[in-house]
Amino acid sequence: MLYMAHYRQIQNKIQQEIDGVVDASRSVTVDDRRTSDLSSDSNWSLNEAVCREIQRCANASPFGISHSNPQETTLMGYRTPKRCVIMANYLAVNRDPKLWKDPMAFRPELFLDQKGKVFEPPHFMPFSIGKRASAGEVLARMEIFLFFANVLQRFDVCPPQDLPLSWVDSYETGIACRPKH
Ligand code: HEM
Protein backbone atom coordinates (compact mmCIF):
# COMPACT_ATOMS: atom_id res chain seq x y z
CA MET A 1 0.00 0.00 0.00
CA LEU A 2 2.85 2.36 0.83
CA TYR A 3 4.47 1.77 -2.55
CA MET A 4 1.15 2.43 -4.27
CA ALA A 5 0.68 5.68 -2.32
CA HIS A 6 4.10 6.76 -3.57
CA TYR A 7 3.78 5.58 -7.16
CA ARG A 8 0.33 6.83 -8.16
CA GLN A 9 0.92 6.61 -11.92
CA ILE A 10 1.84 2.95 -11.65
CA GLN A 11 -1.21 2.44 -9.45
CA ASN A 12 -3.44 3.96 -12.16
CA LYS A 13 -1.99 1.61 -14.77
CA ILE A 14 -2.60 -1.38 -12.50
CA GLN A 15 -6.21 -0.28 -12.04
CA GLN A 16 -6.63 -0.06 -15.81
CA GLU A 17 -5.26 -3.59 -16.14
CA ILE A 18 -7.71 -4.88 -13.50
CA ASP A 19 -10.67 -3.12 -15.16
CA GLY A 20 -9.67 -4.61 -18.49
CA VAL A 21 -9.88 -8.16 -17.13
CA VAL A 22 -12.58 -8.15 -14.46
CA ASP A 23 -15.97 -6.47 -14.66
CA ALA A 24 -16.34 -3.89 -11.88
CA SER A 25 -19.54 -5.59 -10.69
CA ARG A 26 -17.59 -8.46 -9.12
CA SER A 27 -14.40 -9.14 -7.18
CA VAL A 28 -11.16 -10.59 -8.56
CA THR A 29 -11.02 -14.33 -7.79
CA VAL A 30 -8.51 -17.16 -7.80
CA ASP A 31 -9.94 -18.35 -11.12
CA ASP A 32 -9.12 -15.02 -12.75
CA ARG A 33 -5.45 -15.57 -11.97
CA ARG A 34 -5.28 -19.17 -13.20
CA THR A 35 -4.71 -17.86 -16.71
CA SER A 36 -1.76 -15.86 -15.50
CA ASP A 37 0.82 -18.62 -15.44
CA LEU A 38 4.20 -16.99 -16.05
CA SER A 39 4.70 -18.73 -19.40
CA SER A 40 1.22 -18.06 -20.82
CA ASP A 41 -0.36 -14.94 -22.24
CA SER A 42 -1.07 -13.35 -18.89
CA ASN A 43 -3.68 -10.66 -18.54
CA TRP A 44 -2.06 -9.62 -15.29
CA SER A 45 1.51 -8.81 -16.31
CA LEU A 46 1.68 -5.44 -14.59
CA ASN A 47 -0.03 -6.63 -11.40
CA GLU A 48 2.32 -9.61 -11.21
CA ALA A 49 5.42 -7.55 -12.01
CA VAL A 50 4.56 -4.86 -9.44
CA CYS A 51 3.88 -7.44 -6.70
CA ARG A 52 7.32 -8.94 -7.36
CA GLU A 53 9.04 -5.56 -7.44
CA ILE A 54 7.41 -4.63 -4.11
CA GLN A 55 8.69 -7.89 -2.65
CA ARG A 56 12.20 -7.13 -3.95
CA CYS A 57 12.27 -3.53 -2.74
CA ALA A 58 10.40 -3.96 0.54
CA ASN A 59 12.50 -6.90 1.77
CA ALA A 60 9.72 -8.15 4.04
CA SER A 61 11.88 -11.10 5.09
CA PRO A 62 15.44 -9.71 4.91
CA PHE A 63 17.26 -12.62 6.55
CA GLY A 64 14.74 -15.47 6.37
CA ILE A 65 14.85 -17.94 9.24
CA SER A 66 18.09 -18.81 11.05
CA HIS A 67 19.54 -22.21 10.28
CA SER A 68 22.33 -24.28 11.79
CA ASN A 69 24.78 -26.90 10.55
CA PRO A 70 24.92 -30.18 12.51
CA GLN A 71 28.43 -30.94 11.18
CA GLU A 72 31.50 -28.82 10.48
CA THR A 73 31.61 -27.86 6.83
CA THR A 74 33.54 -25.72 4.36
CA LEU A 75 31.76 -23.47 1.93
CA MET A 76 33.66 -21.48 -0.69
CA GLY A 77 36.83 -21.83 1.37
CA TYR A 78 35.26 -20.73 4.66
CA ARG A 79 35.38 -23.29 7.47
CA THR A 80 32.18 -23.33 9.49
CA PRO A 81 32.34 -25.11 12.86
CA LYS A 82 29.32 -27.23 13.72
CA ARG A 83 26.24 -25.56 15.23
CA CYS A 84 26.84 -22.10 13.81
CA VAL A 85 23.89 -19.78 13.35
CA ILE A 86 23.58 -19.32 9.60
CA MET A 87 21.46 -16.60 8.05
CA ALA A 88 20.98 -15.75 4.39
CA ASN A 89 21.25 -12.09 3.43
CA TYR A 90 18.36 -11.71 0.99
CA LEU A 91 18.53 -7.96 1.42
CA ALA A 92 22.00 -7.92 -0.15
CA VAL A 93 20.77 -10.07 -3.06
CA ASN A 94 17.81 -7.75 -3.63
CA ARG A 95 20.10 -4.72 -3.80
CA ASP A 96 23.03 -6.21 -5.67
CA PRO A 97 23.89 -3.92 -8.63
CA LYS A 98 25.49 -6.91 -10.37
CA LEU A 99 22.09 -8.62 -10.45
CA TRP A 100 19.67 -5.72 -10.88
CA LYS A 101 19.99 -2.59 -12.96
CA ASP A 102 19.61 0.45 -10.67
CA PRO A 103 18.60 -1.73 -7.67
CA MET A 104 17.54 1.09 -5.31
CA ALA A 105 14.90 2.38 -7.74
CA PHE A 106 11.35 1.01 -7.92
CA ARG A 107 11.29 -0.61 -11.36
CA PRO A 108 8.52 -3.16 -12.03
CA GLU A 109 9.91 -3.54 -15.56
CA LEU A 110 12.69 -5.65 -14.02
CA PHE A 111 10.10 -8.43 -14.04
CA LEU A 112 8.84 -7.91 -17.59
CA ASP A 113 10.49 -9.27 -20.72
CA GLN A 114 10.73 -7.41 -24.01
CA LYS A 115 7.23 -8.55 -24.98
CA GLY A 116 5.81 -7.25 -21.69
CA LYS A 117 5.33 -10.73 -20.22
CA VAL A 118 6.24 -11.54 -16.62
CA PHE A 119 9.77 -12.76 -16.22
CA GLU A 120 11.31 -13.97 -12.97
CA PRO A 121 15.13 -14.05 -12.77
CA PRO A 122 16.64 -16.83 -10.63
CA HIS A 123 18.04 -14.35 -8.12
CA PHE A 124 14.49 -13.29 -7.18
CA MET A 125 14.05 -15.37 -4.02
CA PRO A 126 11.70 -13.70 -1.49
CA PHE A 127 10.59 -17.15 -0.32
CA SER A 128 14.17 -18.46 -0.16
CA ILE A 129 15.35 -21.44 -2.21
CA GLY A 130 16.03 -25.12 -1.71
CA LYS A 131 14.61 -27.63 0.75
CA ARG A 132 13.83 -25.09 3.45
CA ALA A 133 12.15 -22.53 1.21
CA SER A 134 8.87 -21.12 2.49
CA ALA A 135 6.24 -23.83 2.75
CA GLY A 136 3.66 -21.14 2.14
CA GLU A 137 4.99 -19.81 -1.17
CA VAL A 138 2.11 -20.88 -3.41
CA LEU A 139 -0.51 -19.73 -0.91
CA ALA A 140 1.30 -16.45 -0.24
CA ARG A 141 1.67 -15.63 -3.94
CA MET A 142 -2.07 -16.18 -4.41
CA GLU A 143 -2.97 -14.12 -1.34
CA ILE A 144 -0.70 -11.25 -2.37
CA PHE A 145 -2.35 -11.20 -5.79
CA LEU A 146 -5.93 -11.38 -4.45
CA PHE A 147 -5.38 -8.74 -1.77
CA PHE A 148 -3.56 -6.37 -4.09
CA ALA A 149 -5.94 -6.68 -7.06
CA ASN A 150 -9.11 -6.48 -4.98
CA VAL A 151 -8.04 -3.45 -2.95
CA LEU A 152 -6.92 -1.58 -6.06
CA GLN A 153 -10.06 -2.56 -7.95
CA ARG A 154 -12.16 -0.76 -5.30
CA PHE A 155 -9.91 1.95 -3.88
CA ASP A 156 -7.37 4.61 -4.73
CA VAL A 157 -4.44 4.42 -2.32
CA CYS A 158 -3.39 8.01 -1.51
CA PRO A 159 -0.91 9.71 0.81
CA PRO A 160 -2.53 11.16 3.97
CA GLN A 161 -3.42 14.84 3.58
CA ASP A 162 -2.16 16.00 6.97
CA LEU A 163 0.88 13.78 7.59
CA PRO A 164 4.11 13.17 5.71
CA LEU A 165 4.17 9.79 4.01
CA SER A 166 6.95 7.63 5.39
CA TRP A 167 9.50 6.89 2.72
CA VAL A 168 9.55 3.40 1.33
CA ASP A 169 13.18 2.68 2.18
CA SER A 170 12.99 3.58 5.86
CA TYR A 171 12.12 0.42 7.72
CA GLU A 172 11.47 -0.91 11.16
CA THR A 173 13.61 -4.02 10.96
CA GLY A 174 13.30 -7.28 12.82
CA ILE A 175 12.48 -10.78 11.64
CA ALA A 176 10.25 -8.95 9.18
CA CYS A 177 10.64 -5.44 7.78
CA ARG A 178 7.73 -3.04 7.96
CA PRO A 179 7.42 0.65 7.09
CA LYS A 180 7.85 3.28 9.81
CA HIS A 181 4.56 4.51 11.28
C1 HEM B 1 4.74 -12.92 1.58
C2 HEM B 1 4.61 -14.00 2.32
C3 HEM B 1 5.77 -14.88 2.74
C4 HEM B 1 7.12 -14.70 2.61
C5 HEM B 1 7.87 -13.51 1.97
C6 HEM B 1 7.75 -15.85 3.21
C7 HEM B 1 9.11 -16.03 3.28
C8 HEM B 1 9.74 -17.07 3.94
C9 HEM B 1 11.16 -17.23 4.06
C10 HEM B 1 12.23 -16.28 3.48
C11 HEM B 1 11.38 -18.35 4.77
C12 HEM B 1 12.76 -18.88 5.22
C13 HEM B 1 13.26 -19.97 4.34
C14 HEM B 1 14.65 -20.35 4.71
O1 HEM B 1 14.99 -20.31 5.89
O2 HEM B 1 15.45 -20.68 3.82
C15 HEM B 1 10.09 -18.94 5.08
C16 HEM B 1 9.90 -20.12 5.76
C17 HEM B 1 8.68 -20.68 5.99
N1 HEM B 1 7.45 -20.18 5.63
FE1 HEM B 1 7.13 -18.47 4.63
N2 HEM B 1 6.79 -16.70 3.67
C18 HEM B 1 5.57 -16.15 3.41
C19 HEM B 1 4.33 -16.70 3.69
C20 HEM B 1 4.13 -17.91 4.28
C21 HEM B 1 2.83 -18.51 4.50
C22 HEM B 1 1.50 -17.89 4.08
C23 HEM B 1 3.07 -19.70 5.13
C24 HEM B 1 2.11 -20.76 5.60
C25 HEM B 1 0.83 -20.80 5.34
C26 HEM B 1 4.50 -19.84 5.30
C27 HEM B 1 5.13 -20.92 5.88
C28 HEM B 1 6.48 -21.06 6.06
C29 HEM B 1 7.11 -22.19 6.71
C30 HEM B 1 6.40 -23.42 7.33
C31 HEM B 1 8.50 -21.97 6.67
C32 HEM B 1 9.61 -22.86 7.21
C33 HEM B 1 10.00 -23.81 6.10
C34 HEM B 1 11.07 -24.81 6.52
O3 HEM B 1 11.93 -24.49 7.33
O4 HEM B 1 11.03 -25.94 6.01
N3 HEM B 1 5.12 -18.73 4.76
N4 HEM B 1 9.11 -18.12 4.58
Side-chain angles (χ1 to χ4, degrees), residues 44-173:
W44 298 104
S45 300
L46 189 60
N47 271 262
E48 298 279 2
V50 168
C51 286
R52 285 166 177 76
E53 179 63 347
I54 291 173
Q55 284 195 282
R56 183 188 74 83
C57 292
N59 289 298
S61 180
F63 306 109
I65 295 174
S66 303
H67 294 274
S68 186
N69 51 325
Q71 303 298 333
E72 178 176 318
T73 188
T74 301
L75 181 64
M76 297 170 77
Y78 291 92
R79 187 182 74 85
T80 310
K82 68 179 177 183
R83 298 206 191 105
C84 280
V85 176
I86 300 173
M87 300 172 82
N89 189 349
Y90 303 108
L91 195 129
V93 177
N94 285 336
R95 294 181 173 181
D96 188 341
K98 293 198 285 297
L99 300 174
W100 310 95
K101 196 176 166 201
D102 198 5
M104 296 308 284
F106 183 70
R107 302 180 64 230
E109 63 270 26
L110 288 172
F111 294 94
L112 294 171
D113 68 15
Q114 287 177 338
K115 292 182 185 162
K117 300 295 169 204
V118 182
F119 156 78
E120 208 172 276
H123 40 270
F124 176 68
M125 49 177 90
F127 299 99
S128 183
I129 49 170
K131 283 187 184 174
R132 300 248 75 91
S134 177
E137 176 170 349
V138 175
L139 176 66
R141 282 182 185 259
M142 183 58 75
E143 291 292 337
I144 290 168
F145 170 81
L146 285 177
F147 181 85
F148 195 67
N150 278 300
V151 169
L152 294 187
Q153 185 198 35
R154 302 280 163 200
F155 300 98
D156 292 325
V157 181
C158 309
Q161 284 174 353
D162 50 350
L163 287 169
L165 190 58
S166 71
W167 186 235
V168 285
D169 55 5
S170 95
Y171 300 128
E172 304 274 356
T173 314

